Amino acid sequence: DAGITQSPRHKVTETGTPVTLRCHQTENHRYMYWYRQDPGHGLRLIHYSYGVKDTDKGEVSDGYSVSRSKTEDFLLTLESATSSQTSVYFCAISPGREAFHYEQYFGPGTRLTVT
Amino acid sequence: SQELEQSPQSLIVQEGKNLTINCTSSKTLYGLYWYKQKYGEGLIFLMMLQKGGEEKSHEKITAKLDEKKQQSSLHITASQPSHAGIYLCGADRGAQKLVFGQGTRLTINP
């Protein structure tokens, strides 16, 4: 299994509060991703990173920000959580095309409930 | 409509039977990935297909890519309870990004 951990694994928070989810990898992979998974929508990309301090938006980036100050850590922040952000969040990593490995490896997920 | 459509959305088969899951893209396929997700867990990478006509197998799971049809199929032979879960296909959309289908929920009955 790829060395990916997510923390916390479960979180309940109130509307309007800031929330930060952490993804940590031990594989030294260049690419890191944040997805959310919702019934009826499948997996959707929120943000991704192609290197330290290099990030870009995915298809559902509104209300989310990310930071990557070290290769191993990718943080997802909900500035002011809303009930529509209740979801399961997955982090993924990939070595990238430069390494001729294109597949992504996923973490165990974080279940976030916003009340 | 989804960029990647999986069919069926759910499937119930008896243990030992064969089954096929399809993934159809509305855009040209340059790379197709299959994942399995156990309930409440993360996704496990199964295999990747890149070339038209390519076929890969892992244990009793075989995946094929038909570029002309913009479609991939996942076939399980002699299904077992361990095959139960959600199968998702993902397509390479450039810039090292994937787009995913909604998934097929597979139940294996004894």
Side-chain angles (χ1 to χ4, degrees):
Chain A
D1 291 342
I4 314 170
T5 57
Q6 292 184 230
S7 58
R9 294 292 314 279
H10 301 270
K11 186 170 182 66
V12 179
T13 192
E14 294 183 349
T15 299
T17 59
V19 176
T20 296
L21 309 183
R22 179 182 184 235
C23 177
H24 179 78
Q25 62 149 327
T26 57
E27 304 295 324
N28 201 35
H29 285 349
R30 177 181 175 185
Y31 293 84
M32 297 185 77
Y33 308 80
W34 277 108
Y35 292 89
R36 59 179 291 175
Q37 187 176 36
D38 306 286
H41 292 280
L43 269 174
R44 293 179 292 175
L45 181 65
I46 305 171
H47 281 281
Y48 69 104
S49 169
Y50 47 96
V52 174
K53 297 186 180 179
D54 291 324
T55 64
D56 205 350
K57 296 178 179 180
E59 64 176 306
V60 290
S61 59
D62 287 347
Y64 302 94
S65 62
V66 290
S67 65
R68 191 173 179 194
S69 59
K70 298 184 291 184
T71 299
E72 58 266 34
D73 290 325
F74 192 32
L75 304 181
L76 177 70
T77 298
L78 290 65
E79 302 291 345
S80 178
T82 67
S83 58
S84 64
Q85 293 176 312
T86 293
S87 185
V88 181
Y89 291 86
F90 288 100
C91 173
I93 64 174
S94 175
R97 297 185 185 280
E98 296 85 355
F100 299 100
H101 284 279
Y102 315 101
E103 64 272 19
Q104 295 181 16
Y105 298 96
F106 284 77
T110 294
R111 185 173 296 274
L112 176 68
T113 302
V114 183
T115 61
Chain B
S1 62
Q2 291 284 319
E3 190 173 324
L4 281 181
E5 293 280 352
Q6 287 187 233
S7 61
Q9 291 187 358
S10 65
L11 190 55
I12 302 173
V13 300
Q14 191 171 7
E15 183 177 352
K17 297 295 185 183
N18 302 336
L19 62 105
T20 299
I21 298 169
N22 292 306
C23 175
T24 303
S25 174
S26 61
K27 299 181 180 180
T28 302
L29 284 172
Y30 295 105
L32 194 289
Y33 302 75
W34 282 101
Y35 288 85
K36 179 186 175 184
Q37 183 179 26
K38 291 189 175 181
Y39 304 116
E41 299 181 12
L43 281 69
I44 299 168
F45 172 71
L46 295 176
M47 56 192 86
M48 177 186 73
L49 305 166
Q50 281 189 288
K51 302 175 184 177
E54 186 174 10
E55 180 176 321
K56 287 187 177 178
S57 294
H58 175 69
E59 297 179 343
K60 293 184 178 180
I61 301 176
T62 300
K64 301 178 184 179
L65 179 62
D66 186 332
E67 263 186 349
K68 290 182 181 178
K69 292 184 179 179
Q70 296 182 177
Q71 185 178 68
S72 177
S73 61
L74 186 84
H75 184 77
I76 298 177
T77 303
S79 58
Q80 301 171 350
S82 61
H83 289 129
I86 301 171
Y87 289 81
L88 295 98
C89 61
D92 188 344
R93 287 296 177 246
Q96 203 67 37
K97 293 189 289 185
L98 299 181
V99 62
F100 288 88
Q102 288 190 322
T104 295
R105 185 179 294 266
L106 175 62
T107 302
I108 308 294
N109 285 337

